[in-house]
Amino acid sequence: MTAFLYPQETVSRRVVDISGLWKFKVDTDSEGRSEGWKDGLTNTTDMAVPSSYNDIYTDKALRDHCGDVWYQTEFLAPKEWQDLDVLVRFGSATHRAIVWVNGEEVASHEGGYMPFAGKLNDVVKFGQKNTLVVVVNNELSETTIPCGNVKQYDDGVREVKPWFDFFNYSGLHRPVKLLALPKQRITDMTVLTDFEGSQGKVDFTIEADIPAGALLSVKLYDADGKQVSQGEGTKGELQVDNVNLWQPGKGYLYTLEATIEKEGEILDQYPLEVGIRTVKVEGTKFLINNEPFYFKGFGKHEDSDHRGRGYDPVVNLRDMELLNWIGANSIRTSHYPYAEEFMQLADRKGLVVINETPAVGQINLLPFGGDMGGAFAMLGSGGSNQVQNFFELDQVKSKGMENHKDAVRELIQRDKNHACVVMWSISNEPDTTHEAAGEYFGEVFDYARSQDPQNRPMTFVNVLVAPHGKCKAAQHADVICLNRYYGWYMMGGYEMRNAGKAFAAELSSWSTEGKPIVITEYGADTMAGVHKLPSVQWSEEYQIEYLDQQHEAFDGCEALVGEQMWNFADFQTWEGIMRVDGNKKGAFTRNRQPKMSAHYLKSRWEKIADFNHKP
Ligand code: BDP
């Protein structure tokens, strides 16, 4: 079952985090499902939850394992929970999982970056220890989100080939929690916010199972805990005098507290943080609170040493600090939804977020055996050596589309109330060069628009082989988002001196669309500590000269409303001749220390206001 309300302890709800060191076993011979490992594992090793399992041990066969891995832990279900609904909730399992408690299946989920839960009441032993077993699988295909394939070698070994440029980190990446909730309870809350002058407005809709004779009420508190408004029932509108808006850099949050009460007794209570703000596209402007906003920041990854993609509040806080230090006001959650705890921090810090689904790798690499080297070969040829376009594949139109819509729906359901989310990105760099892509995206965009109660702008991120005139999907997007590498993948080295002009020419052709343009990626691989005069590619000097060229193009484009450099920090990728132990386009190293470019960006971005930027 899905469980999108973030677990919070209140007077009526209990949350127990059961993350920690769990038992772990790699299913090298794919026998666990038929051999009954769900009933309990033998010969296990230890594994940290949350974390990726890939980078902890020294064994390459584990790091690069393709297929199932198994986890086990024990937990106690207190007797006093017997009259409540008891659930186990996973922040995510990458890319799919099945969960058993005491040998009985309680949950399963497809899609590696979303929470899911299972109800335990029928299988759990109250007042006793219970055994929880999870199988997590990391295989990819052209219809999974994200996309990839599995390569089988003659020696029997299988390998996952991701069709994307980040390591296929796998495992239980986010906290696992036991929840004890009232049987009749609040199951969902949705807010829409608006303001006029100093008068703020919060529309609320609450889904709840309300016992006969009970009342549902809401109270809105300001950041100091002072009540500013109240209402009753499952739907209503709250007025807020002298509103404090949620602003980039100033994440002012109210709390909307919903309560089910009967004869003075609280049966359920759930508080939701709410930022009051508006988002709108008007002509070539991206408006936040009716003011033209300029995105400054990065595409990021959830990626760090040892943890891989595992949730770590230390890394998240450090990242927020560095974003603030460098003068960034925004990020894109490239290339998958980030942990819920990250989104909460973004709300609180006022970090503007372009929220992306895990749809990445929608480009046909089957003819290349799934090798990312093949992707680069294809990019080099301008896309002309493709065998069949991705969106013409029958399985993509059917199963792939279905998985993509699931990913869109779950992301919007999970994150719909976050003030930080100003736009949804429904795919990164799909191959949109053929008509079939136009039809495919027409359908996915319509679907996505039907899902967002706040009607936020929708986009996808365009790849360089699908320039203006060739891209068959851009007409569906509210904002044109471009990933471009003038001076790196093309026009690199000495020729980079002309990169800015070439980029500017492309921008002026996109400008004719009359929509805002955000550069969601531009960057150059740079080895921290490599210095060279005159510059060469990979040196810190080159990265800065490269950025200068890009910014020259940006500053000459009226319709351009943002720049997000690729990437915030160096990160782990697939292994290959294009990558030196990962992608090195970070402004920061993987250890979160600045390269020269970070200082350069800081001095540029501190001069660019969040609003009404005129180059
Ligand atoms: C883009 C991708 C991104 C890559 C980046 C790069 O969107 O995931 O890491 O290029 O090559 O194609 O550095």
Side-chain angles (χ1 to χ4, degrees):
M1 77 198 263
T2 47
F4 291 107
L5 276 190
Y6 185 75
Q8 297 190 75
E9 288 232 322
T10 68
V11 63
S12 55
R13 297 172 171 237
R14 291 288 157 268
V15 180
V16 176
D17 193 329
I18 56 169
S19 313
L21 274 194
W22 289 21
K23 293 178 184 149
F24 181 77
K25 188 165 176 169
V26 184
D27 198 349
T28 311
D29 300 318
S30 303
E31 57 187 339
R33 292 182 195 234
S34 54
E35 294 298 314
W37 290 12
K38 68 182 179 61
D39 295 319
L41 304 177
T42 52
N43 300 324
T44 56
T45 180
D46 297 317
M47 186 50 67
V49 175
S51 80
S52 299
Y53 60 73
N54 311 81
D55 285 353
I56 295 172
Y57 289 100
T58 51
D59 179 13
K60 195 159 182 162
L62 169 56
R63 188 192 67 194
D64 293 345
H65 173 71
C66 163
D68 291 345
V69 297
W70 294 73
Y71 291 79
Q72 179 176 327
T73 191
E74 274 72 46
F75 67 88
L76 187 93
K79 274 210 176 103
E80 52 279 19
W81 286 7
Q82 281 187 42
D83 297 329
L84 299 170
D85 269 354
V86 180
L87 279 71
V88 60
R89 184 188 196 268
F90 291 77
S92 71
T94 314
H95 293 281
R96 61 191 63 76
I98 306 174
V99 185
W100 295 268
V101 167
N102 301 330
E104 301 291 329
E105 183 176 328
V106 294
S108 66
H109 188 259
E110 168 78 28
Y113 309 93
M114 277 290 128
F116 61 96
K119 200 172 150 186
L120 306 185
N121 291 64
D122 292 342
V123 300
V124 86
K125 290 179 263 171
F126 286 100
Q128 293 179 41
K129 286 252 166 150
N130 295 272
T131 303
L132 174 88
V133 174
V134 191
V135 60
V136 181
N137 177 281
N138 68 351
E139 291 169 46
L140 298 173
S141 76
E142 69 277 18
T143 63
T144 57
I145 302 290
C147 306
N149 68 316
V150 170
K151 190 169 175 182
Q152 171 91 46
Y153 295 94
D154 290 344
D155 62 0
V157 172
R158 297 182 321 137
E159 187 186 357
V160 186
K161 293 281 188 182
W163 296 358
F164 44 83
D165 186 34
F166 51 93
F167 193 82
N168 187 37
Y169 280 120
S170 310
L172 298 178
H173 282 147
R174 296 175 188 163
V176 184
K177 293 171 180 171
L178 288 181
L179 318 183
L181 310 173
K183 283 195 186 298
Q184 290 186 290
R185 62 179 177 270
I186 298 153
T187 50
D188 197 14
M189 292 173 71
T190 306
V191 292
L192 308 181
T193 66
D194 203 352
F195 68 96
E196 230 187 283
S198 63
Q199 192 70 20
K201 202 176 88 171
V202 177
D203 266 333
F204 64 89
T205 307
I206 294 167
E207 275 173 36
D209 182 5
I210 306 169
L215 264 188
L216 175 68
S217 63
V218 294
K219 287 186 175 146
L220 189 72
Y221 297 97
D222 69 13
D224 298 322
K226 198 171 130 256
Q227 188 183 317
V228 293
S229 200
Q230 61 174 335
E232 272 180 16
T234 54
K235 251 175 138 16
E237 188 184 301
L238 303 177
Q239 296 294 329
V240 185
D241 295 338
N242 300 318
V243 64
N244 259 307
L245 294 179
W246 186 95
Q247 296 275 19
K250 290 182 221 100
Y252 191 94
L253 295 176
Y254 292 86
T255 300
L256 181 68
E257 184 183 70
T259 307
I260 303 178
E261 229 169 327
K262 191 175 175 179
E263 290 150 14
E265 192 197 341
I266 295 179
L267 305 181
D268 191 23
Q269 192 160 63
Y270 190 86
L272 181 77
E273 288 184 327
V274 176
I276 300 178
R277 55 103 185 87
T278 61
V279 178
K280 207 172 6 178
V281 167
E282 230 172 60
T284 58
K285 302 285 176 230
F286 193 99
L287 306 179
I288 298 183
N289 299 334
N290 301 326
E291 296 281 322
F293 177 68
Y294 192 83
F295 296 80
K296 303 175 282 179
F298 301 96
K300 274 184 102 276
H301 266 297
E302 288 187 315
D303 173 279
S304 66
D305 267 343
H306 316 307
R307 294 152 189 78
R309 213 162 311 298
Y311 167 70
D312 183 341
V314 178
V315 175
N316 278 353
L317 263 187
R318 172 73 179 172
D319 287 2
M320 290 293 173
E321 169 65 8
L322 294 179
L323 288 165
N324 185 45
W325 171 83
I326 206 169
N329 57 17
S330 66
I331 62 124
R332 174 172 59 122
T333 65
S334 41
H335 294 305
Y336 38 80
Y338 290 2
E340 292 157 293
E341 294 82 357
F342 180 91
M343 302 303 285
Q344 292 162 2
L345 260 185
D347 275 347
R348 289 171 200 162
K349 304 269 179 195
L351 180 70
V352 170
V353 174
I354 302 174
N355 205 358
E356 190 157 273
T357 74
V360 57
Q362 295 185 303
I363 192 157
N364 190 3
L365 293 192
L366 285 174
F368 306 97
D371 214 85
M372 277 299 285
F376 285 104
M378 182 161 72
L379 293 184
S381 73
S384 59
N385 60 358
Q386 284 177 48
V387 177
Q388 192 188 9
N389 178 268
F390 183 80
F391 296 101
E392 283 164 355
L393 300 171
D394 286 338
Q395 64 274 33
V396 167
K397 290 190 215 167
S398 51
K399 189 70 196 153
M401 167 82 81
E402 198 183 301
N403 285 339
H404 197 168
K405 284 182 177 170
D406 285 348
V408 167
R409 185 185 60 253
E410 290 195 2
L411 171 62
I412 297 179
Q413 270 182 24
R414 192 194 74 166
D415 289 349
K416 63 185 173 185
N417 292 319
H418 283 289
C420 66
V421 177
V422 300
M423 177 154 66
W424 309 100
S425 161
I426 64 176
S427 178
N428 180 69
E429 297 195 341
D431 181 357
T432 54
T433 51
H434 289 58
E435 287 301 340
E439 281 164 42
Y440 180 97
F441 279 99
E443 191 172 330
V444 181
F445 267 95
D446 281 351
Y447 181 76
R449 290 199 169 95
S450 75
Q451 295 300 304
D452 183 15
Q454 292 193 2
N455 274 325
R456 273 163 279 218
M458 296 277 169
T459 193
F460 76 100
V461 174
N462 168 285
V463 63
L464 67 97
V465 294
H468 186 239
K470 211 172 164 199
C471 176
K472 303 285 190 269
Q475 75 274 17
H476 301 299
D478 298 310
V479 174
I480 305 292
C481 288
L482 304 176
N483 290 354
R484 291 297 182 270
Y485 288 91
Y486 289 94
W488 188 253
Y489 291 123
M490 54 218 271
M491 305 181 70
Y494 187 34
E495 201 189 344
M496 198 257 284
R497 67 191 186 279
N498 295 322
K501 284 190 201 69
F503 203 163
E506 188 184 351
L507 286 177
S508 67
S509 94
W510 280 107
S511 294
T512 59
E513 290 292 311
K515 296 179 181 180
I517 301 171
V518 177
I519 307 304
T520 35
E521 286 184 29
Y522 63 108
D525 281 279
T526 305
M527 292 298 287
V530 171
H531 290 282
K532 195 86 172 176
L533 264 182
S535 72
V536 288
Q537 286 184 278
W538 295 88
S539 68
E540 297 213 28
E541 285 75 10
Y542 188 90
Q543 193 179 28
I544 288 177
E545 290 163 20
Y546 167 94
L547 291 175
D548 254 337
Q549 286 286 325
Q550 317 302 305
H551 296 153
E552 178 190 309
F554 302 170
D555 292 344
C557 179
E558 276 271 334
L560 197 126
V561 300
E563 52 193 67
Q564 293 189 328
M565 196 192 99
W566 191 254
N567 187 285
F568 170 73
D570 295 347
F571 59 94
Q572 198 64 54
T573 62
W574 53 289
E575 232 181 305
I577 52 171
M578 300 287 294
R579 293 289 175 259
V580 189
D581 186 25
N583 188 308
K584 296 286 189 275
K585 295 192 185 71
F588 297 95
T589 62
R590 201 181 192 208
N591 283 329
R592 274 48 179 190
Q593 296 301 337
K595 297 181 189 170
M596 265 166 54
S597 59
H599 297 280
Y600 165 95
L601 287 169
K602 179 174 165 67
S603 74
R604 172 174 168 85
W605 287 345
E606 282 178 350
K607 288 185 209 102
I608 297 180
D610 293 336
F611 290 106
N612 297 302
H613 169 59
K614 296 232 167 34

